[in-house]
Amino acid sequence: MQPDAQNAVVAPRGPLAWGQLNFLHTTDTHGWLEGHLKEQNYGADWGDFVSFTQHMKHKSGNLGVDLLLIDTGDLHDGNGLSDASSPNGALSNIVFENVDYDLLTIGNHELYVTDIAYETFNQFSKVYGERYLTSNVQILNNKTGEFEYIGSKFRYFTTAHGLRIMSFGVLYDFKGNSNVSKVITAANLVKESWFLDAVQYPEPIDLFLVIGHNPVRPTAGGSTFGTLYKTIRGLRPDIPIQAFGGHTHIRDFAVFDDKSTGLESGRYCETVGWLSMSGINSSTFKGNMKPRGVPNPTQPAINITATGGNPTKSSLLYQRRYLDFNRLTFAYHAVGSQDNTFDYHSGERVTELITTDRKVLNLTALYGCAPATYCQSCKPFGAEGNIFPLLATALATTVINQSRADIPRLIIINTGSVRFDLVEGPFTFDDSFIVSPFTDAFQFIPDVPYNYASQILGVLNAGPADKKRRDLGPRDFDFTTMTGEVCPEGIAEHDHDTLKPRSEPMTRGLHRRQTTATTPGYVTKDDFGTDGDDTIHSKIPFYPQPEYLQANASFPTDGSKPATVDLIFLDFIVADVLSALKSVGATEGASDVSYYLPKTFTTNSYLPAYAKIAWQANVPNCPAQANLGVNSYDWGKLGSQSAAAKFATATPSSGFSIEQEKPYAELWMGTHPSNPSKDVQTQRTLLDLVQDNQALMSPGISKRFGEKLPFLFKVLSIRKALSIQAHPNKKLAEQLHAKDPKNYPDDNHKPEMTIAVTPFDGLCGFRPLAEISHFLSTVPSLRKLIGDGAAKEFQSAVQGQETSDSDDQVDKNKKALQTAFSTLMKSDKASITAAAKDLISSAESEGENFAGGGGPSNGGQELADLVIRLNSQFEGDIGLFVLFFLNYVKLEIGEAMFLKADDIHAYLSGDIIECMASSDNVVRAGFTPKFQDIPTLTTMLTYNYAPISEQKMSPVDFPYVTLNRTAYSSSSSAILYDPPIEEFSVVKTALHGKGAKATFEAIEGPSIFICTSGKGTISVGPKTEEVNEGYVYFVGATAEVVLESEGDSFTTFKAFCELSGKETVETNG
């Protein structure tokens, strides 16, 4: 899950039934790969889904059955992760591609825009090859001038256990595509010779699999599954047909006949569809028809809603389930609720990629604080809490052409331009896409007689509802509205495009949204009845809404009607508006239409603009965890044990609260674009502030470092080992970033300094060569892994020369060390696993005699304990052997060490203050599920070797501070940690006793202060602010700063940059 997401609290109703053939189905994800950060029911992200699918594939193999993964399109237009990039999906498609789908097809949202259509053709479809089916969708090949299929027309394949399947991918008869694509109607498709030949394929077919971005219920408006089904069934009357649909955003299961059904699986990463089947007749199937140890499907293909359960002669049995998209559900079905064993490394990498992409896209940028939740359909139109009165107010407030601001205006939008609810709390850049992702601009006709203009809304709402909607709406599908009490407080619900009157009241495919731990949610009734929802929920009210909305602005204050108005409308609905004008007798036409505002001001713009005007009063008190710069990684300390978390909670009005079982790893302070700090009052990022006012930086630093802070200041709280890693030098960083920006997100180097806030231990730099040679002789599993020949070669090369200071010999020693270390790092997984078992056995049995009793730096028992501890965190990892090459360092509170670029290290435990050049580049090679780049690591390292003492820094008294009498008499101090680089230095100030004061002289550079204990004040000029533990302040250049204690003790750390007298340490380029 993403750091700010919540897990569900209500478990599924019971285990899934596994059959001969099983499916997991997604559809209409619309970019929601980050999950629903404000909803417990749907808090999983795509990384969790990656882990889930891999568990389920593994489970299907163990059961001797087949499992196929299906997706039926619409990958963006609904979330900032997909829509804030250009073109839409540029980043989210890369995330999506981490699921190894067996079959996919295209959605209509992949075809609206030419650039996106070509990206789908040239990039996305190529990732999946023949598995990407577009039986009726073609695109213009610019090279040939001819239309060709975007994906495969069909796919005939055999499953792992021998089922022979013919598959098609069919989009509904979509007409809104750009002119570079072509959608062949189903009626024409079924007449094509290739299609008829495929249905009558000469090879045996055990099952037809028809997937499509297409309503799965044949009677639903717009569905073409009926046409496909009738054609296939007419030619092949005895072969089962299984359909998977999409587009209507509902949960639904339809029975076509006694051996043909269809499944549709919701939208927005809220639902994963599950279908299991048994009874498929096949002469080549080699698996289990009824796998043991799990439930098996029992339901024949009978529409119990319509028939009450008439008998059938078919041998096919089914189970369908609609799974809520959360980790609790995934873990329950994958590993029996053992969440701690759920994550695959590949899933964790995807989760981290999403986090990084969200930072790159700045999705947490805050526009304002929404004072309440506004839903699309859980309240009657116009009622308090319904979103549309809010939109009318926002439109009237923001859609203003200043040259015509005083002219009365009517503003009309289609309500379908709103895709989701607006939830109370922070309204962010991401939320702007969630609520209204489309970019429809505002056109108008000036000076329309009011008696005509005032009739347009009524005409539009009385007309056909499906004329101008990107997706089908409430009256298109075979469902009825649900009546009931008003939506409970804290529950947001949306239009689920599901409802239409019918003779028997029922609710099928009803959708929901929740932000609390209560259980309102999906309540589904389909052709198999009411037991399809995997998690049982209570119903949520649904109220129909009009198709169009109008806002009035600048009307006479006396209540009279204006003679004429500016009639403003979206360019998306211009044809409907012109038709309505004609129907009421107006003479205005297309030649009178022009843009009221620049085309860049769209339906995605007016709510953010309104938030900046109307939702600023509560911004300082608006819950906004994402703005705090707190990263939740698995290695972080849990809950309030984490200093990073405790400091974050102290930030005034942050709204952040600690979850005791959640790991909190890092608190970032600086301008790095991945997680920039923000002003608590204005919520502007520190990056914006310093770029707008370069005097805060000083001219020299702005010129040298490109108008941003040259350092990144952090608090790290470490519960388990961080990766074995190094940070690249400047030249290498530029090369890595250009080659692989996904894994190396910037082009800067990253020397860093660590200061212990609590006792700390880590692996830092290579040991003295004599110690490495000693361990190669006394740790048999290490010697076996590296190889006896390589061990002897190293020992021979350095023997007697371990401490030589001759440049030539030092170079020879480094080359020998590089060869030995690289050999170790290239060990294969099987060898590492076997050697690790021997190593752990020795550590557990030998105690103080382990590793020959240790060496000068570390005793045998200490090393044995360390090996056992690290193995409990990363079982059988190469890092267990790397530690014999690296110094094992312990720091007491206040001790520090400095790591140059290209120095190897791995932090193991403790709370630290860390300062570094402003970069997030890490080259990893052990103790991590994340991306590892062993070739780069082994070639980039300095291979400097030295004892522990040379890793540590010696702080000195800071000369540019004055302590008052109280501070002097209480042994207060201000000490400087000054690494040999120009980007940063750090001062620790410890004031003892009330009134103890430290006055810092002005410097030609910026500073960041954090308080780690006690309380006091900070003064800059005439302004004084209170300081408590965890408070963070930025101070601009040339400002004198005064710290004063208000209690027994007051400790702060100050990171700053001043260029004078500093040198840059750089290696390897």
Side-chain angles (χ1 to χ4, degrees):
M1 294 192 303
Q2 290 301 291
D4 301 318
Q6 306 172 64
N7 203 359
V9 295
V10 181
R13 64 169 71 224
L16 299 173
W18 285 80
Q20 173 189 15
L21 178 60
N22 308 273
F23 300 90
L24 287 170
H25 176 223
T26 55
T27 189
D28 295 88
T29 52
H30 284 284
W32 281 83
L33 309 185
E34 65 190 32
H36 293 243
L37 303 184
K38 301 175 182 178
E39 302 177 84
Q40 288 181 314
N41 282 359
Y42 316 102
D45 66 19
W46 204 247
D48 300 315
F49 186 55
V50 168
S51 292
F52 176 58
T53 59
Q54 292 189 20
H55 276 293
M56 297 296 273
K57 282 282 190 179
H58 181 72
K59 191 170 185 177
S60 69
N62 289 340
L63 292 172
V65 297
D66 287 313
L67 173 64
L68 301 180
L69 274 56
I70 310 291
D71 183 80
T72 48
D74 269 12
L75 304 184
H76 38 72
D77 295 336
N79 186 282
L81 188 67
S82 64
D83 301 347
S85 64
S86 182
N88 287 10
L91 295 180
S92 61
N93 280 1
I94 296 172
V95 174
F96 185 94
E97 290 161 7
N98 283 275
V99 174
D100 189 24
Y101 281 101
D102 296 282
L103 292 173
L104 311 88
T105 193
I106 199 166
N108 57 296
H109 280 258
E110 280 81 88
L111 298 175
Y112 280 115
V113 179
T114 295
D115 286 348
I116 295 172
Y118 276 122
E119 194 281 335
T120 303
F121 174 53
N122 294 320
Q123 304 295 331
F124 185 78
S125 69
K126 302 302 186 287
V127 171
Y128 290 102
E130 66 174 2
R131 295 174 288 168
Y132 194 68
L133 302 176
T134 58
S135 302
N136 68 328
V137 181
Q138 298 178 336
I139 195 165
L140 182 67
N141 186 322
N142 286 327
K143 295 179 180 179
T144 65
E146 301 291 332
F147 279 92
E148 60 184 77
Y149 287 91
I150 291 178
S152 301
K153 291 185 289 186
F154 65 92
R155 183 188 179 204
Y156 177 81
F157 66 102
T158 302
T159 67
H161 292 90
L163 290 175
R164 297 157 300 189
I165 295 177
M166 174 60 72
S167 56
F168 304 99
V170 183
L171 177 65
Y172 74 98
D173 291 348
F174 176 52
K175 296 180 175 61
N177 49 303
S178 75
N179 59 10
V180 301
S181 60
K182 179 190 297 185
V183 179
I184 301 165
T185 65
N188 288 327
L189 171 66
V190 298
K191 299 174 185 177
E192 300 239 1
S193 59
W194 73 260
F195 181 83
L196 298 172
D197 289 344
V199 173
Q200 301 178 92
Y201 204 63
E203 299 295 325
I205 297 174
D206 299 322
L207 175 74
F208 282 101
L209 192 51
V210 185
I211 69 173
H213 195 75
N214 207 332
V216 79
R217 184 166 295 276
T219 56
S223 175
T224 61
F225 268 120
T227 300
L228 301 166
Y229 161 74
K230 290 176 183 177
T231 301
I232 296 171
R233 181 54 73 235
L235 295 171
R236 304 299 290 263
D238 299 320
I239 298 177
I241 302 170
Q242 182 56 50
F244 290 90
H247 184 59
T248 59
H249 292 186
I250 65 171
R251 294 178 171 183
D252 194 19
F253 185 78
V255 174
F256 303 161
D257 62 31
D258 65 358
K259 45 188 170 292
S260 303
T261 69
L263 180 71
E264 190 165 342
S265 303
R267 62 167 192 176
Y268 298 173
C269 290
E270 295 171 345
T271 302
V272 177
W274 170 261
L275 181 70
S276 57
M277 303 171 60
S278 286
I280 302 171
N281 292 320
S282 173
S283 61
T284 55
F285 181 68
K286 305 301 182 184
N288 293 320
M289 188 76 71
K290 296 182 178 180
R292 297 181 179 180
V294 292
N296 302 137
T298 58
Q299 176 66 49
I302 298 172
N303 183 345
I304 65 171
T305 303
T307 67
N310 292 333
T312 175
K313 296 180 181 180
S314 173
S315 62
L316 290 169
L317 297 173
Y318 299 82
Q319 186 203 56
R320 57 78 182 93
R321 284 272 191 93
Y322 308 108
L323 280 58
D324 285 355
F325 205 95
N326 60 63
R327 273 183 68 99
L328 180 62
T329 293
F330 292 166
Y332 177 89
H333 291 306
V335 291
S337 298
Q338 300 302 308
D339 188 78
N340 61 331
T341 66
F342 174 71
D343 290 301
Y344 273 79
H345 291 173
S346 54
E348 291 181 319
R349 285 195 296 271
V350 172
T351 291
E352 184 173 328
L353 174 60
I354 294 169
T355 303
T356 300
D357 286 348
R358 282 177 51 78
K359 292 175 182 177
V360 168
L361 295 171
N362 200 27
L363 295 184
T364 60
L366 187 67
Y367 290 125
C369 189
T373 289
Y374 304 90
C375 68
Q376 288 179 280
S377 55
C378 75
K379 302 286 184 72
F381 180 77
E384 183 177 359
N386 177 265
I387 196 171
F388 294 111
L390 168 70
L391 299 188
T393 301
L395 289 165
T397 304
T398 62
V399 181
I400 303 173
N401 180 327
Q402 291 301 328
S403 67
R404 304 180 65 84
D406 295 331
I407 298 174
R409 57 192 181 276
L410 300 180
I411 307 163
I412 298 175
I413 66 170
N414 58 314
T415 56
S417 64
V418 178
R419 297 278 287 180
F420 212 70
D421 307 328
L422 195 160
V423 180
E424 179 180 6
F427 183 73
T428 64
F429 186 43
D430 195 14
D431 291 310
S432 72
F433 291 98
I434 289 171
V435 177
S436 183
F438 302 117
T439 54
D440 304 324
F442 292 88
Q443 294 184 318
F444 85 121
I445 300 174
D447 305 320
V448 177
Y450 179 75
N451 65 315
Y452 293 141
S454 61
Q455 300 179 63
I456 302 306
L457 180 66
V459 172
L460 290 173
N461 278 326
D466 58 351
K467 274 190 174 182
K468 272 291 178 183
R469 278 173 292 146
R470 288 181 173 82
D471 292 296
L472 304 180
R475 59 175 65 102
D476 293 310
F477 306 113
D478 193 16
F479 311 109
T480 163
T481 57
M482 186 176 81
T483 59
E485 61 186 9
V486 172
C487 178
E489 183 66 21
I491 306 294
E493 164 166 355
H494 24 270
D495 172 5
H496 304 294
D497 303 339
T498 58
L499 307 175
K500 175 183 177 181
R502 69 183 261 160
S503 57
E504 265 182 64
M506 61 179 292
T507 58
R508 179 190 287 122
L510 191 64
H511 301 233
R512 39 48 20 242
R513 174 177 169 98
Q514 72 177 52
T515 59
T516 72
T518 56
T519 60
Y522 281 94
V523 178
T524 308
K525 185 175 183 181
D526 57 28
D527 285 359
F528 269 13
T530 58
D531 62 349
D533 293 313
D534 188 52
T535 301
I536 299 172
H537 295 294
S538 58
K539 293 181 179 179
I540 293 178
F542 178 90
Y543 296 92
Q545 308 292 323
E547 297 295 329
Y548 295 87
L549 167 74
Q550 177 176 289
N552 300 355
S554 298
F555 270 47
T557 57
D558 61 4
S560 61
K561 306 299 183 184
T564 62
V565 296
D566 283 348
L567 182 61
I568 304 166
F569 42 85
L570 301 179
D571 52 11
F572 188 67
I573 61 173
V574 59
D576 293 338
V577 171
L578 291 176
S579 176
L581 280 168
K582 183 177 180 180
S583 73
V584 299
T587 59
E588 287 79 5
S591 62
D592 300 303
V593 176
S594 61
Y595 279 93
Y596 183 74
L597 291 171
K599 294 181 182 180
T600 54
F601 190 90
T602 70
T603 45
N604 182 240
S605 306
Y606 70 89
L607 270 175
Y610 179 73
K612 291 177 182 179
I613 296 170
W615 293 344
Q616 296 301 301
N618 292 324
V619 162
N621 299 309
C622 194
Q625 292 97 320
N627 296 325
L628 297 174
V630 184
N631 290 327
S632 176
Y633 300 139
D634 184 58
W635 53 262
K637 289 188 175 182
L638 299 179
S640 56
Q641 298 174 32
S642 166
K646 287 193 295 183
F647 294 164
T649 60
T651 301
S653 306
S654 70
F656 176 76
S657 61
I658 296 175
E659 298 175 40
Q660 293 302 327
E661 298 303 316
K662 185 174 183 178
Y664 297 97
E666 297 181 331
L667 177 70
W668 285 28
M669 299 164 281
T671 59
H672 194 283
S674 291
N675 207 351
S677 301
K678 295 184 178 180
D679 184 291
V680 295
Q681 297 300 321
T682 67
Q683 289 295 304
R684 292 190 68 196
T685 68
L686 182 56
L687 181 60
D688 286 342
L689 291 171
V690 299
Q691 288 182 337
D692 288 350
N693 186 357
Q694 286 297 296
L696 295 171
M697 298 282 289
S698 85
I701 288 176
S702 291
K703 182 178 179 180
R704 175 70 179 83
F705 296 109
E707 301 183 350
K708 59 182 181 294
L709 279 184
F711 60 84
L712 179 59
F713 206 20
K714 293 183 181 181
V715 177
L716 270 63
S717 293
I718 306 159
R719 175 177 55 93
K720 56 188 283 190
L722 278 71
S723 58
I724 294 168
Q725 61 183 258
H727 306 299
N729 61 64
K730 179 64 172 163
K731 182 177 180 181
L732 179 59
E734 292 171 350
Q735 295 170 349
L736 292 173
H737 177 64
K739 179 182 178 182
D740 186 4
K742 173 183 172 181
N743 290 303
Y744 301 105
D746 57 66
D747 61 0
N748 201 14
H749 68 166
K750 192 180 176 184
E752 63 188 28
M753 180 172 63
T754 295
I755 306 170
V757 177
T758 64
F760 162 90
D761 67 342
L763 304 174
C764 303
F766 286 102
R767 293 177 179 270
L769 300 181
E771 291 188 26
I772 298 172
S773 182
H774 168 76
F775 291 134
L776 285 172
S777 296
T778 59
V779 183
S781 53
L782 172 63
R783 190 177 187 91
K784 181 178 180 182
L785 186 60
I786 201 173
D788 187 63
K792 286 180 178 178
E793 182 181 347
F794 169 77
Q795 290 172 321
S796 175
V798 304
Q799 187 173 8
Q801 303 294 329
E802 294 93 339
T803 59
S804 172
D805 57 4
S806 161
D807 289 345
D808 288 344
Q809 187 58 49
V810 169
D811 286 343
K812 290 179 182 178
N813 287 348
K814 287 184 177 181
K815 289 178 181 177
L817 178 57
Q818 180 175 8
T819 299
F821 184 71
S822 299
T823 301
L824 173 66
M825 297 306 294
K826 293 174 183 176
S827 301
D828 63 80
K829 180 62 176 176
S831 298
I832 296 170
T833 301
K837 291 180 180 178
D838 293 339
L839 181 68
I840 298 305
S841 177
S842 297
E844 292 175 340
S845 63
E846 295 175 10
E848 63 183 17
N849 296 318
F850 177 67
S857 303
N858 313 112
Q861 186 66 62
E862 183 178 45
L863 288 171
D865 292 343
L866 178 62
V867 166
I868 293 169
R869 175 178 36 134
L870 294 177
N871 187 64
S872 70
Q873 299 172 5
F874 294 93
E875 184 176 0
D877 193 273
I878 187 65
L880 302 177
F881 298 95
V882 171
L883 69 85
F884 294 104
F885 278 74
L886 306 186
N887 282 307
Y888 177 47
V889 180
K890 292 183 175 180
L891 299 181
E892 297 302 323
I893 296 173
E895 288 190 305
M897 62 183 179
F898 174 68
L899 295 164
K900 300 186 291 292
D902 304 327
D903 272 356
I904 190 169
H905 58 284
Y907 297 163
L908 303 182
S909 70
D911 295 287
I912 60 173
I913 293 287
E914 189 179 45
C915 199
M916 64 197 65
S918 186
S919 171
D920 199 23
N921 285 323
V922 184
V923 183
R924 303 179 182 89
F927 290 155
T928 181
K930 299 177 182 178
F931 171 73
Q932 299 187 34
D933 192 349
I934 292 173
T936 298
L937 183 86
T938 54
T939 56
M940 69 181 278
L941 297 175
T942 63
Y943 290 99
N944 291 328
Y945 49 91
I948 292 174
S949 58
E950 295 190 21
Q951 296 291 329
K952 296 183 179 180
M953 298 182 66
S954 298
V956 297
D957 289 336
F958 185 54
Y960 305 113
V961 64
T962 301
L963 302 180
N964 70 355
R965 183 181 300 275
T966 303
Y968 270 118
S969 63
S970 61
S971 300
S972 299
S973 62
I975 58 174
L976 171 68
Y977 301 87
D978 195 25
I981 59 169
E982 61 185 359
E983 280 91 345
F984 62 85
S985 301
V986 173
V987 174
K988 176 186 177 183
T989 305
L991 298 176
H992 305 300
K994 183 176 176 61
K997 185 182 297 185
T999 302
F1000 291 85
E1001 297 178 14
I1003 62 171
E1004 291 294 325
S1007 305
I1008 290 178
F1009 289 80
I1010 181 171
C1011 173
T1012 57
S1013 67
K1015 62 182 300 185
T1017 61
I1018 183 171
S1019 301
V1020 178
K1023 187 175 183 180
T1024 298
E1025 298 281 350
E1026 69 169 346
V1027 183
N1028 292 316
E1029 180 181 278
Y1031 280 26
V1032 180
Y1033 286 92
F1034 171 81
V1035 177
T1038 70
E1040 182 183 83
V1041 179
V1042 180
L1043 299 176
E1044 183 172 356
S1045 174
E1046 292 189 343
D1048 294 335
S1049 66
F1050 178 39
T1051 302
T1052 65
F1053 287 84
K1054 165 191 173 181
F1056 67 96
C1057 178
E1058 193 173 35
L1059 292 179
S1060 59
K1062 305 283 282 188
E1063 62 175 338
T1064 298
V1065 170
E1066 196 61 274
T1067 59
N1068 293 3

